[in-house]
Amino acid sequence: QVQLQESGPGLVKPSETLSLTCTVSGGSISSYYWVWIRQPAGKGLEWIGRIYTGGSTNYNPSLKSRVTMSMDTSKNQFYLKLSSVTAADTAVYYCARVSRGIDYWGQGTLVTVSS
Amino acid sequence: QSVLTQPPSVSGAPGQRVTISCTGSSSNIGAGFDVHWYQQLPGTAPKLLIYGNSNRPSGVPDRFSGSKSGTSASLAITGLQAEDEADYYCQSYDSRLSGTWVFGGGTKLTVL
């Protein structure tokens, strides 16, 4: 059974960089697309971007200038960096796997942007 | 403003049938891209409910069904149960936005 777990600071200061790690267990990340999605409190889902084996990426155009995704197949992990954060970036961040739809999700991690 | 439009809320009594619509355009659903549906129970991560327009993953009851026509898709839930009360999201791909994945704004289902 594939499992995903997000980790990283729960509090980030404005203008700094948000950094999250997604650790995948129960399967290799050396195939499939892997995505980051976020959800502000009480609001809907927003796709941040996706990464594929080999490092090819696609980002949400509204976040593209601030987002970097990467992966480390030796650690079975992939990563999210979001720079120059503001309060509007406060949300629950999910990492997930794409197969036929987004079939495996992490439990999500709340990241609050505040000084 | 979501690229895919869903009604903010729907409701139904136990045992009834409800449908949730997802309206897109010629650059996403109308272009032939698959629609997927997710159920999000309060305080939990979303769960894949329907993939590829009308397919159910293993373990999803056949009370849930999906369809697609033109620039729209629909999720139908029959035999409503209290445990179906949740938020539901559609998701597809948009060729106009540099290959962006897009979500609907979500629909809150209330079981009366």
Side-chain angles (χ1 to χ4, degrees):
Chain A
Q1 177 79 348
V2 175
Q3 293 184 311
L4 296 90
Q5 179 67 58
E6 306 88 352
S7 59
L11 181 63
V12 181
K13 290 182 168 55
S15 80
E16 295 190 344
T17 297
L18 177 161
S19 296
L20 294 175
T21 297
C22 183
T23 301
V24 179
S25 58
S28 172
I29 68 167
S30 297
S31 58
Y32 302 104
Y33 281 101
W34 303 89
V35 297
W36 288 97
I37 291 160
R38 70 181 183 179
Q39 185 174 35
K43 296 188 178 181
L45 303 169
E46 180 180 33
W47 176 73
I48 298 171
R50 65 174 183 263
I51 186 167
Y52 189 67
T53 305
S56 64
T57 55
N58 287 88
Y59 302 136
N60 187 324
S62 69
L63 300 170
K64 188 175 182 178
S65 63
R66 300 194 290 130
V67 172
T68 303
M69 292 178 61
S70 59
M71 67 189 333
D72 186 335
T73 55
S74 68
K75 295 182 178 179
N76 235 34
Q77 294 177 331
F78 62 103
Y79 312 100
L80 171 69
K81 290 189 184 298
L82 181 65
S83 64
S84 304
V85 298
T86 69
D89 296 310
T90 294
V92 174
Y93 285 75
Y94 296 100
C95 62
R97 188 187 86 166
V98 180
S99 177
R100 296 172 291 185
I102 305 172
D103 58 353
Y104 288 99
W105 296 70
Q107 66 184 23
T109 187
L110 174 62
V111 178
T112 301
V113 178
S114 175
S115 55
Chain B
Q1 193 83 358
S2 302
V3 173
L4 303 179
T5 301
Q6 298 180 235
S9 63
V10 298
S11 63
Q16 285 189 333
R17 178 181 187 271
V18 297
T19 61
I20 298 172
S21 60
C22 175
T23 302
S25 67
S26 58
S27 63
N28 42 67
I29 298 175
F33 297 116
D34 283 344
V35 177
H36 314 293
W37 290 91
Y38 304 89
Q39 177 193 58
Q40 187 176 33
L41 298 170
T44 69
K47 167 192 167 185
L48 181 63
L49 203 60
I50 297 287
Y51 68 91
N53 307 314
S54 59
N55 302 288
R56 284 186 308 276
S58 174
V60 173
D62 61 5
R63 301 187 296 105
F64 295 90
S65 62
S67 63
K68 186 181 105 168
S69 178
T71 58
S72 295
S74 291
L75 172 70
I77 310 171
T78 58
L80 263 184
Q81 300 179 3
E83 66 204 50
D84 299 332
E85 187 160 295
D87 294 322
Y88 292 84
Y89 295 90
C90 61
Q91 178 252 312
S92 188
Y93 175 92
D94 196 296
S95 60
R96 179 188 53 189
L97 302 174
S98 302
T100 302
W101 285 22
V102 289
F103 285 98
T107 299
K108 170 67 177 178
L109 169 62
T110 300
V111 181
L112 302 170

